[in-house]
Amino acid sequence: MKEKKIPTWDELLASLNACQDHPADTAWDAYRYLNAHLGELSSEEARSLLACIMKIPLPRPSLLHSCLLSVALRMADAYPDFKLLNFLVLWGYDVNLRGEDRQQQVGKDGRTYLSLEDKAERAVRKYLTLHPAECPLQPVKELPMIATPIIGYVHSYDAGNDYYHIYDNLSRHFVAISPQQRPQIGDFVWFSPIIPRGSKFKSAIVIRPEDPRAGQETFRLTEAEVTQINRKEGYIGYRLLGFPPATAEGEYSKDGYASLRLVVDMNGKPASGSLRKGQRVRMLLYLTRGKDALKHNHIEKILVSQ
């Protein structure tokens, strides 16, 4: 099948002027022009042309509609002022994805390439990383990969990849990649979870830090009783009196051990010296994966009342 030629600007204007007579042909002409000249057009010109195509009344979903999504993802990279989320809502993301858009593609070279859905969800993650203030505060039905912002705890930092590892109180593990808002290990942060359909990789878009005390209360500390203290070896035994929220990530152990170094007062100062057997404490607790590939209790701090 012979590939349609890219119209000149004058040919495109003529097509737009006669749009009512052949709307589909005009939309394809405008798409081909935009796709071919994306690097040359100004942001305003590209956005205006894209908006013009979107206003042409054509059935959705369609191949043309999918092509527009593809070119919009390129625009998000090319033009910092392009509002990708606004476009996706206008486009009707998710409900207007075709079956082909959700499937990985095999090229002429035999290699497997990301589906249009995968590309869109990666673009959303990248866009929100650069524009965290645009994270929706309420669910958006057209953007199911973006969850409502929640509180998380910054567990660790991978300097080699510029990854921040964040856990929520359901023990779900998220990764913030090169965030604009740079947290510190041990911070509580508000973040938007990005959870693509069918993917195990969960991204975090860090929005802002949270006050430590407010973060602890929102995260929900777990009540426990000290069952033994071994000061020589530097550890305590504990028994959970309550459990964190139920999670699909694994099972909490009711009894366990923790380092005395984790015991602090409400101001974060070491407080193991006054700790006694039978004392009730509160723990910042979630599950992390061990060397046995299973998830176990992980305690970040043990708080004692003053």
Side-chain angles (χ1 to χ4, degrees):
M1 182 176 175
K2 187 176 180 180
E3 187 175 343
K4 294 283 186 178
K5 81 177 187 71
I6 299 166
T8 65
W9 178 248
D10 288 338
E11 289 172 338
L12 177 57
L13 288 180
S15 182
L16 289 170
N17 287 332
C19 179
Q20 290 185 343
D21 297 330
H22 41 68
D25 288 342
T26 297
W28 275 110
D29 282 344
Y31 160 72
R32 291 188 184 99
Y33 187 90
L34 175 60
N35 188 53
H37 297 282
L38 191 61
E40 307 160 25
L41 296 170
S42 69
S43 175
E44 183 177 1
E45 290 169 335
R47 288 185 284 112
S48 296
L49 189 52
L50 180 63
C52 181
I53 304 170
M54 291 291 291
K55 290 178 181 177
I56 297 175
L58 294 172
R60 303 182 187 187
S62 70
L63 174 59
L64 172 63
H65 203 53
S66 299
C67 288
L68 291 180
L69 173 57
S70 183
V71 80
L73 301 183
R74 290 174 55 208
M75 288 175 63
D77 275 334
Y79 306 115
D81 60 346
F82 180 67
K83 302 291 186 181
L84 179 61
L85 300 191
N86 290 350
F87 170 81
L88 292 176
V89 172
L90 178 65
W91 188 88
Y93 186 77
D94 195 51
V95 296
N96 283 320
L97 283 170
R98 303 174 304 149
E100 302 95 311
D101 299 333
R102 301 183 189 275
Q103 298 171 0
Q104 292 184 329
Q105 302 298 312
V106 179
K108 294 180 181 179
D109 57 2
R111 296 174 61 185
T112 300
Y113 294 88
L114 293 174
S115 67
L116 182 56
E117 180 183 37
D118 290 334
K119 291 178 181 177
E121 293 183 341
R122 290 192 179 196
V124 167
R125 182 184 69 199
K126 181 178 179 180
Y127 180 83
L128 287 178
T129 297
L130 296 173
H131 306 88
E134 294 189 28
C135 289
L137 299 181
Q138 299 295 330
V140 180
K141 65 178 182 179
E142 292 88 352
L143 307 175
M145 80 290 284
I146 308 176
T148 304
I150 57 176
I151 281 284
Y153 182 83
V154 182
H155 170 80
S156 59
Y157 174 62
D158 176 356
N161 293 301
D162 199 18
Y163 288 177
Y164 289 87
H165 297 276
I166 299 174
Y167 284 82
D168 69 1
N169 68 351
L170 295 178
S171 297
R172 294 182 300 177
H173 176 204
F174 296 84
V175 177
I177 304 172
S178 305
Q180 294 290 298
Q181 297 285 338
R182 311 291 289 189
Q184 299 292 321
I185 296 174
D187 280 356
F188 287 97
V189 294
W190 282 100
F191 73 96
S192 276
I194 306 293
I195 309 175
R197 191 196 330 266
S199 173
K200 293 182 179 180
F201 187 80
K202 302 178 181 68
S203 301
I205 307 300
V206 178
I207 301 173
R208 61 175 174 83
E210 179 58 289
D211 174 79
R213 291 199 181 192
Q216 287 174 177
E217 295 306 317
T218 304
F219 197 89
R220 291 178 61 180
L221 302 181
T222 302
E223 299 285 339
E225 179 184 358
V226 178
T227 57
Q228 61 174 290
I229 302 176
N230 188 325
R231 298 190 184 279
K232 182 178 179 180
E233 300 292 335
Y235 70 86
I236 68 167
Y238 66 83
R239 173 165 295 169
L240 299 184
L241 301 178
F243 282 88
T247 175
E249 297 296 316
E251 297 291 335
Y252 291 96
S253 300
K254 186 173 182 179
D255 296 282
Y257 301 91
S259 171
L260 274 170
R261 294 194 303 271
L262 301 176
V263 181
V264 296
D265 62 22
M266 295 303 293
N267 295 314
K269 296 181 179 180
S272 62
S274 61
L275 197 66
R276 65 185 186 280
K277 183 178 178 181
Q279 185 172 350
R280 291 194 172 194
V281 295
R282 296 196 300 164
M283 294 179 167
L284 177 56
L285 168 68
Y286 48 89
L287 298 171
T288 58
R289 198 172 303 281
K291 293 181 179 179
D292 57 3
L294 301 176
K295 288 199 170 185
H296 303 277
N297 290 12
H298 177 86
I299 300 170
E300 286 288 349
K301 63 179 65 174
I302 303 169
L303 281 84
V304 296
S305 300
Q306 292 177 314

